Structure formats: C-alpha cells, structure tokens
Amino acid sequence: PNFPLRFLWVLYPAWETLAHHHKLMNDKETNPKLTAAIQGMLNLSGLKMFHVAVTGDPFPALNAPVTELATVTLQEGKSKEELEAALGELSKAIAAAPVAVSPVWGPLVEKENTWALFIGWTTVEVRVLCHCLKKLRRLMNLRHSTRRTGRL
C-alpha cells in the first residue's frame, strides 16, 4: 500500500544515562545557552520529550539513512511480558530484512505502559512489516513516524 508522506522534525540525542541528561537540564550556565540556540532554529512549542531505556545499542538504528520510531501503548488487559515478547519477536523479524539496521526498543521512562521501537533502514523505499504489526496491535495502541537523515 501507499502511505502518505509526512515530515516530522525529530531529535534523537542519546545520553549515556538519564542522570547525564538531568545534569545538563539543571546546568544554570549551559542549558539556557543551548535552549536559546535551539529556539533560534526550531519552534519548540510542540516539543514532546521522552526518554527510552533501550534494550540494546541505539546508535546503528539512529545513524541509519532512515530511522523509524514507533511508540506503542499496552492495551488494558494485556501484560507487559506479552508486549515485550511481541516486541522481541518483531525486532528479530525486522533484523532479518536486508534493508533493516539494528532495531532496538525499550520502555519510556516518563510514561508507564508505553514503549518505543527504533528501526534503522537503508532506504526510504521500505514498507512497514504489516504481518508482524497485526500481533502487536492486539496488545497495544501503535503510533509511529519516520525520519530521513539526509545520508541517502
């Protein structure tokens, strides 16, 4: 199927630990300068920030020519274990695709029962693996976006 293209500016800074990010956010000298520099380039009014406790190395997916981000929310009556097993199964299926780059996932720190899945792709010509997503959709509500890094 053809999916409509929509562009979304997404920043994926990767912190060594959440404490490192909090240290920067609380730095009274550096943080205001950084925020002002970013606001000079981007409208931050719609900014949504969240942190993911990833299960593996996120850098291959984040450095791929295309990075897809899916956020998934567990549906009522389903278990965390079911969801994590399905995410693990989906990650293995995606990783087997020749155009996929190291999918990685993990729970959101700020939002209980929500996980993020990052998938790197070598081309924008990929399609979501719908047969795998059917199983996930029975367990959760699914939202995702794709960003192009400009490395193509």
Side-chain angles (χ1 to χ4, degrees):
N2 273 333
F3 296 103
L5 286 178
R6 68 184 170 119
F7 293 94
L8 172 68
W9 285 99
V10 180
L11 299 174
Y12 298 129
W15 298 96
E16 187 174 335
T17 68
L18 186 55
H20 285 87
H21 181 231
H22 288 159
K23 182 178 177 182
L24 174 66
M25 297 295 288
N26 293 323
D27 185 319
K28 303 289 186 216
E29 185 175 328
T30 305
N31 191 44
K33 292 176 187 175
L34 178 62
T35 301
I38 293 171
Q39 286 176 333
M41 296 181 288
L42 302 171
N43 177 354
L44 301 180
S45 63
L47 178 69
K48 294 180 183 178
M49 184 185 327
F50 57 86
H51 300 88
V52 181
V54 292
T55 56
D57 181 4
F59 292 105
L62 296 177
N63 289 320
V66 178
T67 300
E68 186 168 7
L69 165 63
T71 57
V72 293
T73 305
L74 187 65
Q75 289 183 357
E76 193 172 320
K78 302 298 180 182
S79 76
K80 172 184 172 183
E81 292 76 22
E82 287 178 287
L83 176 83
E84 289 184 344
L87 283 169
E89 188 178 314
L90 176 62
S91 293
K92 286 179 188 172
I94 292 169
V99 294
V101 179
S102 300
V104 64
W105 56 273
L108 269 61
V109 173
E110 297 86 357
K111 194 168 182 185
E112 189 176 353
N113 293 326
T114 302
W115 284 255
L117 170 65
F118 296 94
I119 308 163
W121 300 104
T122 59
T123 175
V124 296
E125 297 302 318
V126 298
R127 297 293 182 249
V128 176
L129 301 175
C130 295
H131 64 282
C132 293
L133 292 177
K134 286 179 186 177
K135 183 173 184 177
L136 285 176
R137 287 179 190 220
R138 289 194 302 268
L139 300 172
M140 69 198 81
N141 298 318
L142 175 67
R143 291 178 42 113
H144 82 279
S145 66
T146 303
R147 79 171 174 117
R148 187 172 174 173
T149 63
R151 291 187 176 93
L152 294 178

